[in-house]
Amino acid sequence: MIYLDNAATTRQKPPQVIDAVVRAMTTMGNAARGAHASSLQASRAIYDARCKLAALLGCPRPDHVVFTTNSTEALNIAINGILSPGDHVISTDLEHNSVLRPLYRLEAGHNVALDFVPADRRGNVDYRDFERLMRPETRAVVCTHGSNLTGNLIDVARVGEIAHRHGALLIVDASQTAGSIPIHMEDMGIDVLCFTGHKGLMGPQGTGGLCIREGVEIRPWKVGGSGVQSYSRTQPEEYPTRLEAGTLNSHGIMGLSAALDFIRDTGVEAIGRHERDLMRRFYDGVSAIEGVTVYGDFSREERGAIVALNIRDYDSGEIADALSQSYDIATRPGAHCAPRMHQALGTVEQGAVRFSFSWYNTREEVDAAVAAVRELAEP
Amino acid sequence: MRSKKPALVLAFASTAQALATEKYCQEHQLPGRLIPVPKEITAGCGLAWKAEVEQGEELTRALARAGIQWQEARVLELWA
């Protein structure tokens, strides 16, 4: 199979990730649940993973790296734990439903006012709109670092500067960029950075988390076992325990930790460069084919390794099915959980076929995918 | 019955801080090890750092210099 659905999950992982999960499942106890060797091994390994993530993402405090099951959970924790009735929040048309639905729910039932920075037909935002939408009661801006549909990036440092100037926090969804695009949350003015472990970070599914700037208070939405302060009726205040009730996915986190070693040794820049080379090669190939429409802005070098396209007025689902059945190429059709982005692009009815590239893809695979699109586009 | 002797015990606000202490101590050849937090400090669970009393001053000075925080430092009679 030629797997080009890496924006959904990277299917191929570094081999040491699998080894680490197996090792964890055969040796590790429960982290923070005792001081015997197996529990301490798990506690140390998880703390080590926090340190690696803090280093990779520019989070000053490893104990402010909180593990969750994915970025949807991280975003729900951040959004619901920061916003209160009467607050105003700004987001963008580029967002995934993992941002949109928590915000819509707060808007509908919890008296939170919500505005969106619109995207144009190329999927770009006008940064002046963030400024325009600010109100005295604006508590936060929630925005993606990179669109999961077009691959367009948002200059989060610029958004952070605007947000902070107006006394608002910046919550960033780095689902599509962590591991492929350099991120430094302190330098970029990010207050809460939400990530998933199974995409660009190349770890197992069921891993993710959030990095929290010192001084940012997030209310926990789940409370329970913490391994400390057991006779207290309330969840411990300290991060990460405050937001990590219950047993962590230590086995998955060990896989993620091994993936972080791989990324550190390989280099985020090198990984991103390889992925973008493939993306650019594919873009150059398909954009020259008659009947193919490519979405997004490819004028900048730095972007997510994603190419979304349609062929004539064909149903995107039919194209993805043909790619799968006739060419054994895995892509993602439809709406990609990004309804506002499709509305901005004018692709609500047709959807789009998304090709997304990873470290493990090759030029030969890209060329085969271009050839398949060319055949399918033949009148 | 095992004999007891005084030991320095550092208690922490979070497991992460206990682990940060262990990491720092191992990297800097500082004495001690993680133990279950003694009941004299908190009736519950969690991790604490145990070291010889005579090593206490060197240890706490080094940790303080490194910015590592602990909630409480106590000398307790623990199993040797």
Side-chain angles (χ1 to χ4, degrees):
Chain A
M1 176 193 281
I2 298 176
Y3 184 84
L4 299 178
D5 195 16
N6 294 287
T9 193
T10 45
R11 196 182 69 144
Q12 190 171 345
K13 314 289 185 186
Q16 50 268 51
V17 172
I18 292 100
D19 294 343
V21 173
V22 172
R23 200 164 48 248
M25 292 189 76
T26 49
T27 62
M28 270 184 17
N30 197 343
R33 299 297 188 273
H36 57 78
S38 286
S39 174
L40 282 179
Q41 181 194 353
S43 299
R44 288 173 186 132
I46 285 175
Y47 184 71
D48 200 34
R50 294 189 209 279
C51 292
K52 291 175 192 173
L53 281 160
L56 178 74
L57 301 171
C59 177
R61 290 185 60 162
D63 61 348
H64 280 222
V65 177
V66 171
F67 286 112
T68 64
T69 56
N70 48 46
S71 52
T72 295
E73 190 178 61
L75 285 158
N76 270 271
I77 289 171
I79 289 168
N80 290 294
I82 287 176
L83 297 173
S84 301
D87 284 343
H88 172 244
V89 59
I90 297 170
S91 193
T92 82
D93 277 352
L94 277 68
E95 307 308 317
H96 187 276
N97 271 336
S98 55
V99 168
L100 297 175
R101 284 179 173 159
L103 292 178
Y104 289 147
R105 188 169 65 168
L106 288 176
E107 182 188 38
H110 297 83
N111 192 29
V112 169
L114 172 61
D115 276 310
F116 288 97
V117 169
D120 62 22
R121 296 285 284 197
R122 294 177 82 194
N124 286 327
V125 294
D126 182 338
Y127 291 90
R128 289 171 299 187
D129 287 329
F130 287 98
E131 195 90 51
R132 179 179 59 79
L133 292 170
M134 285 287 172
R135 300 186 199 168
E137 64 272 25
T138 304
R139 176 78 177 116
V141 176
V142 188
C143 83
T144 187
H145 188 199
S147 163
N148 73 312
L149 175 54
T150 64
N152 287 10
L153 298 185
I154 286 185
D155 183 349
V156 289
R158 191 167 169 187
V159 178
E161 188 277 319
I162 297 168
H164 292 163
R165 189 151 33 79
H166 290 267
L169 299 173
L170 175 62
I171 302 168
V172 170
D173 172 9
S175 299
Q176 293 298 333
T177 53
S180 301
I181 309 267
I183 296 172
H184 195 288
M185 68 177 287
E186 204 177 21
D187 290 355
M188 294 163 92
I190 299 169
D191 296 292
V192 183
L193 181 78
C194 300
F195 62 91
T196 191
H198 68 100
K199 296 185 180 184
L201 292 178
M202 295 189 275
Q205 294 176 5
T207 61
L210 56 166
C211 302
I212 305 161
R213 184 177 59 74
E214 195 158 14
V216 175
E217 301 297 333
I218 302 179
R219 298 181 299 271
W221 70 282
K222 63 173 177 177
V223 294
S226 58
V228 292
Q229 303 174 32
S230 294
Y231 288 91
S232 166
R233 294 176 76 125
T234 57
Q235 188 72 6
E237 281 293 307
E238 295 78 18
Y239 293 127
T241 314
R242 185 198 296 197
L243 302 175
E244 285 183 347
T247 293
L248 289 175
N249 175 13
S250 310
H251 302 148
I253 292 168
M254 286 313 89
L256 175 61
S257 188
L260 293 167
D261 289 339
F262 176 84
I263 290 168
R264 181 197 57 212
D265 295 345
T266 310
V268 172
E269 284 85 359
I271 291 169
R273 200 179 317 117
H274 174 73
E275 292 175 353
R276 284 190 293 278
D277 281 351
L278 297 177
M279 176 267 297
R280 187 64 64 177
R281 187 178 181 90
F282 182 78
Y283 171 77
D284 289 344
V286 296
S287 57
I289 298 170
E290 196 219 325
V292 170
T293 305
V294 177
Y295 303 97
D297 184 353
F298 288 80
S299 64
R300 287 195 196 142
E301 191 51 43
E302 192 167 71
R303 67 190 318 287
I306 291 172
V307 180
L309 59 79
N310 274 315
I311 301 177
R312 306 188 193 284
D313 60 351
Y314 303 159
D315 184 332
S316 63
E318 235 174 344
I319 296 297
D321 188 50
L323 286 165
S324 174
Q325 294 297 310
S326 304
Y327 303 93
D328 203 18
I329 297 173
T331 60
R332 171 92 186 273
H336 314 90
C337 303
R340 299 184 73 93
M341 192 70 260
H342 276 285
Q343 283 163 356
L345 297 174
T347 50
V348 170
E349 289 296 315
Q350 194 176 7
V353 188
R354 183 184 68 185
F355 297 74
S356 48
F357 305 91
S358 90
W359 172 253
Y360 286 104
N361 287 127
T362 65
R363 289 181 154 206
E364 290 72 28
E365 289 178 324
V366 167
D367 293 345
V370 172
V373 171
R374 184 176 292 112
E375 276 188 20
L376 290 171
E378 279 172 10
Chain B
M1 187 75 173
R2 293 176 70 166
S3 62
K4 290 193 171 193
K5 62 180 273 198
L8 174 78
V9 178
L10 299 182
F12 304 93
S14 73
T15 305
Q17 284 174 5
L19 290 159
T21 301
E22 183 189 54
K23 189 175 164 71
Y24 186 82
C25 287
Q26 287 177 348
E27 285 170 359
H28 294 82
Q29 289 83 47
L30 290 167
R33 69 178 180 89
L34 288 171
I35 60 165
V37 66
K39 65 177 171 40
E40 290 85 349
I41 290 180
T42 174
C45 37
L47 297 173
W49 189 254
K50 176 188 173 190
E52 302 283 336
V53 175
E54 304 75 52
Q55 299 165 323
E57 204 177 315
E58 173 205 358
L59 176 69
T60 51
R61 206 181 314 120
L63 291 176
R65 247 196 329 264
I68 290 177
Q69 295 174 337
W70 60 90
Q71 212 168 32
E72 193 177 343
R74 295 266 296 273
V75 173
L76 298 171
E77 289 283 327
L78 298 176
W79 276 354

